[in-house]
Amino acid sequence: LLVEAVELLLRQEFTYDHGSVDLHFYRCRPLNPGDVATEQNGFHWVTAAQLAGLRFPPANESIIRRLTAI
C-alpha cells in the first residue's frame, strides 16, 4: 500500500533492556484509495477503538493512547 505522510503525530524515543528505538508515527493517506482492502497480505484494518484491545510493544503505548482518544 503506497501512502503519503501527511502529519507527524508523535516522535517517541524508548529504551528496552536490549536497546533503544526512535519511532516516528505519521498520519498517512493512501496514494491510490482503490488499493485499500479490508485485508492485505495478512494484515487487516481495525478501528481506533479496537486498538486498545490489541497487543503492542511498550514503545507504542503513547501513540495507542493518543489514537484511541481521537
Side-chain angles (χ1 to χ4, degrees):
L1 180 61
L2 297 175
V3 298
E4 171 188 18
V6 176
E7 171 189 10
L8 177 63
L9 295 175
L10 177 69
R11 178 176 177 218
Q12 175 73 36
E13 294 182 27
F14 194 89
T15 302
Y16 290 99
D17 291 340
H18 60 279
S20 298
V21 293
D22 183 8
L23 302 170
H24 297 75
F25 297 95
Y26 288 89
R27 180 181 316 271
C28 297
R29 75 169 62 106
L31 289 177
N32 184 357
D35 289 346
V36 178
T38 303
E39 186 168 327
Q40 191 160 353
N41 297 325
F43 294 95
H44 63 275
W45 297 99
V46 297
T47 65
Q50 292 173 303
L51 292 172
L54 300 174
R55 292 179 53 209
F56 291 94
N60 294 39
E61 290 177 9
S62 295
I63 192 64
I64 299 302
R65 277 195 309 274
R66 183 169 177 178
L67 292 172
T68 55
I70 294 176

